[in-house]
Amino acid sequence: YCMEFSDDGSLWFGLQDRIEQWKDGKVIEHDLGQELDPNMSTPLRSIKQLSDHSLWMCSTPKGIAIYNGVNWDTLGVDEGLSSHLASYVYKALDGSMLVGYRTNGISQRHSPGYWSTFRSQDGIPAGQVSFIGESPEGRFWARIDVTGIVSYDPKTAPPQTLLKSFQGELNPGEDAEYSFTGFDLDYRTAPNEMVYSWRFVQRADV
């Protein structure tokens, strides 16, 4: 279903229920049912190597399979994915990771533990994501089964601040509580790390 070269000279093949590693003229089988999930029955459709030399593989019933050269682990909903049912993984030019899903949506990891997810309300059509790529200038392209090809340019996504609760007018000396949230360009900053500034403007008498 898929293949990937790793920096140790290995050639990796994703099959129905296992991974084959071809290295130094030998074939090493990695049984994911034994390593991760005895109910493993989903074809491995995407393999990518990261800068830390680990391999990410889509997908198992528990999410993405990760191999660090010695041990196996999984990355799923508890670690920030929108769903365990990942279908494609891609390493962007800026080092971030993108994960497409079998039903709807694409998630992007900007830093460990922080993901942003784009779904139908953000312009990603429903359907399995079967490919993600990127042009040299940073525009992302994705193939959505049944729907076709979609593209996204992060540079055109403006930052926004959203007021969740507020009081429109205040009397002198009156206390008030305001609640707001927001996101920056391409959702790159975690919500709890956003910095806001604000000011109060005195309304002219009418």
Side-chain angles (χ1 to χ4, degrees), residues 68-143:
N68 65 9
V70 179
N71 300 313
W72 289 87
D73 200 356
T74 55
L75 186 147
V77 173
D78 291 343
E79 291 75 35
L81 292 187
S82 175
S83 167
H84 289 323
L85 303 179
S87 58
Y88 199 87
V89 60
Y90 174 76
K91 180 184 176 183
L93 297 176
D94 65 2
S96 63
M97 296 299 299
L98 286 87
V99 175
Y101 299 101
R102 294 184 218 165
T103 52
N104 174 249
I106 295 175
S107 292
Q108 184 174 12
R109 188 187 78 164
H110 307 286
S111 59
Y114 174 54
W115 295 79
S116 56
T117 298
F118 304 92
R119 301 183 179 87
S120 56
Q121 60 266 34
D122 304 303
I124 302 294
Q128 176 170 292
V129 178
S130 55
F131 173 81
I132 301 173
E134 185 178 6
S135 63
E137 62 272 14
R139 176 181 287 272
F140 293 113
W141 296 83
R143 182 173 66 229

Side-chain angles (χ1 to χ4, degrees), residues 17-198:
D17 57 354
R18 68 188 188 279
I19 293 289
E20 285 190 357
Q21 177 187 5
W22 293 20
K23 183 178 181 180
D24 300 329
K26 299 179 180 179
V27 178
I28 304 171
E29 289 193 359
H30 299 270
D31 185 344
L32 297 187
Q34 179 179 349
E35 299 286 355
L36 296 174
D37 193 325
N39 298 315
M40 177 70 190
S41 61
T42 304
L44 273 295
R45 299 187 180 276
S46 179
I47 306 174
K48 291 294 183 294
Q49 185 173 46
L50 277 64
S51 56
D52 64 1
H53 311 294
S54 64
L55 290 164
W56 285 30
M57 310 174 189
C58 287
S59 164
T60 78
K62 295 181 179 179
I64 294 173
I66 299 177
Y67 182 61
N68 65 9
V70 179
N71 300 313
W72 289 87
D73 200 356
T74 55
L75 186 147
V77 173
D78 291 343
E79 291 75 35
L81 292 187
S82 175
S83 167
H84 289 323
L85 303 179
S87 58
Y88 199 87
V89 60
Y90 174 76
K91 180 184 176 183
L93 297 176
D94 65 2
S96 63
M97 296 299 299
L98 286 87
V99 175
Y101 299 101
R102 294 184 218 165
T103 52
N104 174 249
I106 295 175
S107 292
Q108 184 174 12
R109 188 187 78 164
H110 307 286
S111 59
Y114 174 54
W115 295 79
S116 56
T117 298
F118 304 92
R119 301 183 179 87
S120 56
Q121 60 266 34
D122 304 303
I124 302 294
Q128 176 170 292
V129 178
S130 55
F131 173 81
I132 301 173
E134 185 178 6
S135 63
E137 62 272 14
R139 176 181 287 272
F140 293 113
W141 296 83
R143 182 173 66 229
I144 313 295
D145 289 357
V146 180
T147 302
I149 304 295
V150 297
S151 67
Y152 168 65
D153 186 354
K155 297 186 294 296
T156 63
Q160 293 191 32
T161 300
L162 308 174
L163 280 171
K164 300 172 66 177
S165 64
F166 65 96
Q167 295 173 242
E169 297 183 4
L170 292 176
N171 296 317
E174 183 180 2
D175 293 333
E177 182 175 320
Y178 293 83
S179 176
F180 45 85
T181 185
F183 53 86
D184 62 352
L185 180 66
D186 197 27
Y187 301 83
R188 290 181 180 274
T189 305
N192 61 342
E193 296 178 353
M194 294 288 290
V195 177
Y196 302 89
S197 63
W198 64 88

